[in-house]
Amino acid sequence: MAGASGKKKTVKYAKPKPKKMAKPKRGQRRNKVLKIKAASWEAKNFKELGRGGEAIIYTLKPGIVAKIFLKPDAPEFAEDPELREAAWVRIEEMQTKLFSFPKDLPAELVTPTGVLVNGRNRVFGYVMPFINGTSLDKLGRTNMNPTAKKTKKMLVSLYDTVVKLHEQGVIIGDFNENNIIVFRDIPYLIDADSMQFGPYQCRSFIPRFTAPEILRITNSDAGSGRKKKDIRQWSFAMATTYNELTDWYSYLVIAMRLLTFTDPYGGVAYDMDLAERMSQRITVFDQPVVYPLIAKPLSSVPRPILETFFKVFHLHKRFIPDKKIFDSLANN
């Protein structure tokens, strides 16, 4: 895709007070999850499938994988005290969160089927089904180029999943194409443990997929006597919590990347980096931006969809998009 997605960020945590199991809403049932005692767990006995900034995925057996959370003393956090603290808080929160998912969640959300606990009955990971598909970020690259019919099927299915999750009180939060696996043109959401529901907030984000109004974007001088672009350091932090409309913002970013191979902040605007552009809301719809050469032109996007992109990304309006706008893909 044109332009990098940006690295995942995690907000600095305050150490939480111990939580009791989250109570489901009135009329809402809690999902039952099996507790698996795994006192003898050793990672070396299993094949590593992948890893991120918070956990490692291992293959347990065909169709089943385990997600093991990185400990605060993991080498990845050795030089970053904030990440160590975040890892500690994450594990503390998982002691209750993994048992508290609402019931009747859509099948397109890959949820834990069993929670792994050590000899001290402490949660250190969970098991879940393995979706043997393709990451959506790969489908959004120029060499893949899915047909309009397949793109419509994926976007409509993902739209329905978002609606169902919101109906159950779940906010996706860190909603990006890296957390979506596509199997037979159906997108499946992974990383359910980071989602927001009940007392549990989502604190992770990738700036390019996150609505700017919930981010605190700041800059500071790193020295003097150098060019402006060298002395200004920009940073992101969460300013407020996710909500349903921020999920829809992220959904439309995903849709735009599938349809154009770029996103609202793709291309180049003078010497501005992503943070500076987001702070000033300078998108691909603005004159100073040089549109990415490898991206599909905006004129190739069906008008109903393009108008929705323009309203959300350029005019900064927030609303639930009409699912019918994707009917235009069948005629494109």
Side-chain angles (χ1 to χ4, degrees), residues 268-294:
V268 178
Y270 304 121
D271 60 354
M272 294 181 174
D273 62 11
L274 176 63
E276 190 170 5
R277 284 181 58 187
M278 290 185 72
S279 71
Q280 298 183 36
R281 309 293 196 266
I282 297 177
T283 72
V284 291
F285 294 100
D286 287 295
Q287 282 291 87
V289 177
V290 179
Y291 194 75
L293 290 176
I294 65 171

Side-chain angles (χ1 to χ4, degrees), residues 86-99:
W88 183 88
V89 175
R90 180 165 47 251
I91 291 174
E92 286 302 306
E93 194 167 65
M94 293 305 158
Q95 303 306 311
T96 55
K97 183 176 184 179
L98 294 178
F99 298 99

Side-chain angles (χ1 to χ4, degrees), residues 155 252 255-257 259-260 262-264 283-286 291 296-316 319 321-322 324-329 332:
L155 289 174
L252 289 172
M256 185 174 182
R257 288 171 73 91
L259 293 170
T260 67
T262 190
D263 59 73
T283 72
V284 291
F285 294 100
D286 287 295
Y291 194 75
K296 287 186 177 180
L298 293 175
S299 59
S300 69
V301 179
R303 189 175 183 84
I305 302 175
L306 185 59
E307 288 178 348
T308 301
F309 290 164
F310 186 83
K311 290 175 183 176
V312 171
F313 303 135
H314 185 69
L315 301 180
H316 315 298
F319 54 87
D322 187 345
K324 291 182 180 179
I325 62 174
F326 299 111
D327 291 344
S328 56
L329 285 172
N332 199 39

Side-chain angles (χ1 to χ4, degrees), residues 155-167 170-173 175 209-211 213-214 242-256 264 308-309 312-313 317-323 325-326:
L155 289 174
V156 168
S157 175
L158 187 58
Y159 185 105
D160 291 340
T161 300
V162 176
V163 169
K164 292 172 186 175
L165 286 171
H166 289 176
E167 288 175 348
V170 177
I171 304 295
I172 300 168
F175 191 10
F209 292 88
T210 307
E213 64 270 16
I214 67 168
Y242 290 103
N243 56 64
E244 291 186 4
L245 291 180
T246 61
D247 271 359
W248 287 114
Y249 176 95
S250 302
Y251 170 85
L252 289 172
V253 175
I254 291 167
M256 185 174 182
T308 301
F309 290 164
V312 171
F313 303 135
K317 295 183 178 180
R318 298 292 179 259
F319 54 87
I320 299 174
D322 187 345
K323 186 168 68 171
I325 62 174
F326 299 111

Side-chain angles (χ1 to χ4, degrees), residues 29-89:
R29 296 173 293 171
R30 186 185 293 124
N31 196 26
K32 291 184 178 180
V33 183
L34 180 68
K35 183 184 285 189
I36 303 171
K37 292 187 177 181
S40 59
W41 165 269
E42 288 189 73
K44 65 180 181 181
N45 296 329
F46 301 95
K47 181 181 177 181
E48 183 178 321
L49 184 63
R51 66 171 59 211
E54 300 177 354
I56 303 175
I57 307 295
Y58 296 95
T59 300
L60 297 186
K61 60 181 182 179
I64 301 293
V65 296
K67 181 172 183 176
I68 308 300
F69 299 113
L70 291 171
K71 297 178 181 179
D73 60 357
E76 289 87 343
F77 308 142
E79 298 182 6
D80 195 322
E82 288 190 11
L83 290 180
R84 286 199 299 273
E85 183 182 4
W88 183 88
V89 175

Side-chain angles (χ1 to χ4, degrees), residues 191-227:
D191 279 0
D193 59 273
S194 73
M195 293 184 182
Q196 181 171 296
F197 58 89
Y200 305 105
Q201 294 183 9
C202 176
R203 300 179 177 89
S204 300
F205 63 96
I206 293 179
R208 202 172 282 273
F209 292 88
T210 307
E213 64 270 16
I214 67 168
L215 295 177
R216 183 181 298 110
I217 306 172
T218 57
N219 69 76
S220 61
D221 289 345
S224 60
R226 288 175 288 177
K227 293 180 180 179

